[in-house]
Amino acid sequence: MKQTILIRNVQVVQGDVMPRCDMLIQDGVIAKFGRDLPDAAGLTIDGSRLTALPGLFDMHVHLRDPGQTHKEDIFTGAAAALAGGVTGVACMPNTTPAIDSVDTVRYICEKASHTGVEVHPVGCITKGLKGEEMCDYAALKEAGICAISDDGRPVECAETMRKALIQAAELGIPVISHCEDLSIIDGGIVNRGKASETLGVKGMDRASEDYITAREIILAASANVPIHIAHVSTYGSVEIIRHAKAQGVKVTCETCPHYFLMTEDAVLSGDADYRMNPPLRTEKDRKAVLEGVLDGTIDCIVTDHAPHAPEEKADFYHAPNGVIGMETSLAASLKLVHAGMLTLPQLVEKMAENPRRILGLPQHKLAVGEPADITLVDLDYHWIVDPEKMHSKAKNVIWKGKTLVGKPVYTITDGVIRYQDTEYMANRK
């Protein structure tokens, strides 16, 4: 049921940081901005400590539904998104079955329609993620996909990838590439170098990512079509993408907060929660990824939210790769704002506007007449990340036990409050 909501004295970020004002929401849309607006029948929120951002969009998440719902499902994934101020997601296709059929796309869209979160499935490039037979992209698009990818695996055959890029471009569907050469990886589980040597395990060489990043860019440039590079983690990939953009190649890319805020040192404890793919890398890589975020080489900040059951993460050597991140991504990324490296509008661009632009989705703006799709954040609120308080089924969060500054405290979609942080409310009384 749509609500009438009056948010008093809130700071609004829309293209710039606007002066504090009142915001009235009625019938699912933003009805009015002003000073000292009259009380309206409905809910009034004190926004004097809050900042209103357009709802964030995470274009790289794993909801594990269908088929792997012991890790996560669409409902718990949506709850985690809302708790992180994320109002829209693109969910990756490595489910069981994979998102390679119209029926699976429809299943996800129907189930997600009840969550209050915009869930856009990403279809497979190849059937069953096997790298062989290409999917029917036109049928998948008609059913509701927003992009195609074999994420979780690379497309090993360059010619298959080239054909997919061309067919997808003809249909106006973005292609997202998981850049990894499996023959180079050869069973590696952490970054090759200090991490692999200290832990006595096989390492994942950076050449794996750099090689396929370069391949995808060459293929896209040859066909003059777009390519989006997922989860950039190496200094080599950043430089390859930067050079390609300067040459006019239609390449966009993303990274995750852990790649510009953490290094392989975090995994030296042998805690599998810090294992992901691509892995945490060196300080040189971290600095290069950060510089790519700051100079615009890297277009989007995403999470690669990858939930796993606690028992699956218990054994470091055999655990699956992946970390969860939707509930902490904004707070972690705000480190760049607090340090004066990015402005709030620039962060909104990375976490809301660019993902929607790349996927060809409508922008959600904080303007009169626009749908009320809003994240209300206390930028100065200090909180300790507790895995047991996560809304996800999974607990593999790398910020566990750490204090983050800034937290979404209300998330509104279609003019309805979908999430409010009750612990925050109690602490702020």
Side-chain angles (χ1 to χ4, degrees):
M1 182 177 179
K2 298 188 187 302
Q3 301 167 276
T4 295
I5 306 169
L6 179 61
I7 309 170
R8 289 209 176 276
N9 198 30
V10 65
Q11 180 174 258
V12 177
V13 177
Q14 179 55 59
D16 201 350
V17 180
M18 311 303 289
R20 289 192 174 273
C21 65
D22 299 343
M23 180 193 303
L24 179 65
I25 298 168
Q26 288 180 319
D27 299 321
V29 302
I30 299 172
K32 188 181 294 185
F33 292 98
R35 296 291 300 176
D36 300 319
L37 293 179
D39 288 333
L43 176 67
T44 298
I45 296 173
D46 177 4
S48 58
R49 292 175 172 170
L50 304 180
T51 297
L53 309 178
L56 306 181
F57 193 99
D58 190 340
M59 68 177 290
H60 195 134
V61 307
H62 299 267
L63 296 182
R64 308 300 192 200
D65 193 352
Q68 302 164 31
T69 53
H70 66 289
K71 301 172 186 276
E72 191 81 282
D73 61 46
I74 288 169
F75 295 133
T76 58
L82 292 168
V86 175
T87 62
V89 302
C91 59
M92 292 296 132
N94 56 337
T95 50
T96 308
I99 307 176
D100 60 5
S101 72
V102 166
D103 286 345
T104 304
V105 175
R106 287 175 177 165
Y107 162 82
I108 293 169
C109 292
E110 170 59 26
K111 192 168 181 179
S113 67
H114 307 292
T115 64
V117 175
E118 244 183 278
V119 176
H120 297 271
V122 175
C124 296
I125 294 174
T126 63
K127 291 186 177 180
L129 305 172
K130 294 179 179 179
E132 299 168 357
E133 186 179 356
M134 294 165 65
C135 294
D136 184 341
Y137 306 142
L140 293 176
K141 179 182 180 181
E142 178 68 22
I145 65 164
C146 65
I148 57 172
S149 179
D150 271 4
D151 188 69
R153 293 184 58 84
V155 176
E156 295 187 74
C157 174
E159 177 61 5
T160 299
M161 189 62 168
R162 187 187 72 84
K163 289 178 178 177
L165 285 166
I166 293 169
Q167 288 188 26
E170 290 172 349
L171 292 165
I173 305 171
V175 180
I176 301 170
S177 176
H178 174 108
C179 293
E180 179 181 28
D181 184 286
L182 297 179
S183 66
I184 294 174
I185 292 299
D186 190 29
I189 63 172
V190 296
N191 189 49
R192 183 180 178 188
K194 180 171 71 171
S196 61
E197 292 165 6
T198 301
L199 294 165
V201 298
K202 278 190 173 184
M204 305 168 81
D205 196 294
R206 70 184 61 255
S208 164
E209 179 175 327
D210 296 349
Y211 166 48
I212 301 299
T213 298
R215 185 197 78 171
E216 309 302 53
I217 286 171
I218 290 167
L219 294 174
S222 174
N224 192 29
V225 296
I227 181 67
H228 181 80
I229 307 297
H231 39 54
V232 171
S233 74
T234 69
Y235 63 80
S237 287
V238 174
E239 190 52 43
I240 291 166
I241 293 164
R242 181 181 287 118
H243 176 75
K245 285 191 170 191
Q247 299 303 307
V249 180
K250 299 172 184 176
V251 57
T252 55
C253 65
E254 65 189 44
T255 195
C256 310
H258 40 270
Y259 296 127
F260 58 79
L261 293 173
M262 284 189 174
T263 70
E264 62 185 344
D265 288 350
V267 82
L268 297 180
S269 65
D271 184 343
D273 284 351
Y274 295 93
R275 274 188 50 194
M276 71 282 292
N277 185 22
L280 294 171
R281 299 198 189 268
T282 67
E283 177 67 3
K284 181 176 180 180
D285 294 299
R286 186 196 70 79
K287 287 182 176 178
V289 172
L290 175 59
E291 183 58 33
V293 170
L294 301 182
D295 71 11
T297 299
I298 296 174
D299 303 271
C300 307
I301 297 173
V302 303
T303 63
D304 196 3
H305 178 83
H308 294 291
E311 60 272 19
E312 294 173 321
K313 279 290 194 176
D315 182 339
F316 177 81
Y317 298 99
H318 299 99
N321 288 313
V323 298
I324 61 172
M326 283 194 286
E327 298 180 60
T328 55
S329 60
L330 176 60
S333 300
L334 279 169
K335 288 175 178 280
L336 304 185
V337 175
H338 294 313
M341 296 180 182
L342 283 181
T343 65
L344 265 178
Q346 287 172 328
L347 188 62
V348 168
E349 185 178 39
K350 303 281 186 189
M351 299 188 76
E353 295 171 8
N354 285 349
R356 286 183 167 277
R357 174 180 57 80
I358 290 165
L359 294 174
L361 301 173
Q363 294 291 338
H364 287 186
K365 299 179 180 180
L366 301 187
V368 172
E370 291 288 326
D373 191 70
I374 303 165
T375 298
L376 292 175
V377 185
D378 185 330
L379 297 173
D380 300 315
Y381 184 62
H382 290 61
W383 59 291
I384 298 173
V385 178
D386 181 350
E388 296 307 314
K389 295 179 180 178
M390 298 286 102
H391 293 71
S392 172
K393 286 185 181 180
K395 309 303 175 191
N396 51 313
V397 55
I398 56 176
W399 305 103
K400 56 188 177 184
K402 293 181 170 58
T403 298
L404 299 180
V405 182
K407 196 173 194 301
V409 296
Y410 288 95
T411 305
I412 300 169
T413 65
D414 294 322
V416 177
I417 295 174
R418 307 289 184 174
Y419 167 79
Q420 60 182 18
D421 189 328
T422 53
E423 183 173 311
Y424 170 87
M425 308 302 169
N427 291 340
R428 284 307 196 191
K429 283 183 179 178

